[in-house]
Amino acid sequence: MIDPALEQHILRLKPFLDAKAHQFHSREFIGEDPVSIPHRFSLRQDIEIAAFLTAILSWGRRPLILKSALRLMEILDNSPYQFITQCKAKDIKKIDHFVHRTFNTEDLHNFLLMLKKHYRTSPTLETAFCIPKQYDPHPTANRLRVFHGYFFDSLPMGSNTYRHVANPYSEGACKRMNMFLRWMVRTNSPVDFGLWANISPA
């Protein structure tokens, strides 16, 4: 049985939590949140790329996050999938003067090159997070670990770019990556996209 004092505390807390749920799971929330960036697109791959890159930039003040993410979309000609799949590696290397806090131009080059490599063999970023269930006793943590290894497999060890994708098995909190996965998998909110059917929310 639930302790009566705990039950009373839960009952007092419920209206506050219900109000927050309504606030954060309504279309009105989208406009001033980083999730508004992928909501600018309709193509699945554009949404994935915009959501992933925006999530990676999502630390600091919201206005600065939005400013940086919008500038990044402009760099990608507001067609991120087309840009990444059709441009040459040398064109990516020509991109300059992009900085968001500790995320710099070299990091952007590495991220775009790794996305380009992925989309050569897969039509969706979802496949980078899928692993056989028999090896998956802790789904979200293992998927994040597998993605980290997969995404950085061609990047030299010691590169500063590694720090922008947390690994749960290296004591990383993975807040931004979990937010990105939430955007991709959750289907019961107008804020999220629910594009990935093969990955369940944590």
Side-chain angles (χ1 to χ4, degrees), residues 9-150:
H9 179 69
I10 292 172
L11 290 173
R12 286 194 298 268
L13 194 58
K14 187 177 184 302
F16 172 79
L17 295 176
D18 286 343
K20 288 299 179 183
H22 177 74
Q23 175 185 352
F24 296 133
H25 297 284
S26 65
R27 294 194 178 276
E28 289 75 19
F29 174 76
I30 295 172
E32 297 181 358
D33 188 78
V35 76
S36 65
I37 304 300
H39 269 285
R40 295 162 60 92
F41 301 98
S42 57
L43 182 69
R44 175 191 177 103
Q45 291 88 349
D46 283 339
I47 294 171
E48 291 178 346
I49 296 167
F52 176 59
L53 293 176
T54 299
I56 293 299
L57 299 180
S58 290
W59 82 102
R61 295 174 55 229
R62 279 188 185 179
L64 294 179
I65 295 168
L66 293 173
K67 181 179 178 180
S68 293
L70 286 170
R71 179 160 182 268
L72 180 50
M73 294 305 107
E74 290 175 1
I75 289 172
L76 303 181
D77 296 333
N78 289 305
S79 298
Y81 180 64
Q82 181 177 348
F83 181 94
I84 286 171
T85 55
Q86 295 187 10
C87 74
K88 298 184 182 300
K90 64 180 182 180
D91 297 322
I92 289 176
K93 289 293 188 180
K94 290 179 181 177
I95 297 172
D96 60 3
H97 303 304
F98 182 84
V99 176
H100 176 77
R101 296 175 70 96
T102 63
F103 189 96
N104 59 35
T105 306
E106 180 182 355
D107 299 322
L108 178 58
H109 293 166
N110 288 331
F111 268 74
L112 295 182
L113 288 170
M114 289 183 283
L115 285 169
K116 183 174 182 64
K117 178 182 177 182
H118 174 78
Y119 281 107
R120 283 179 185 152
T121 59
S122 177
T124 172
L125 192 56
E126 180 180 12
T127 56
F129 290 88
C130 293
I131 57 177
K133 290 202 175 288
Q134 61 266 34
Y135 302 113
D136 197 13
H138 305 290
T140 302
N142 272 345
R143 286 191 172 107
L144 290 173
R145 177 174 61 176
V146 167
F147 174 79
H148 190 276
Y150 166 79

Side-chain angles (χ1 to χ4, degrees), residues 176-191:
R176 287 175 287 160
M177 290 301 296
N178 277 303
M179 179 179 71
F180 166 65
L181 289 180
R182 190 203 79 204
W183 289 349
M184 293 297 98
V185 305
R186 192 160 63 179
T187 59
N188 62 349
S189 168
V191 175

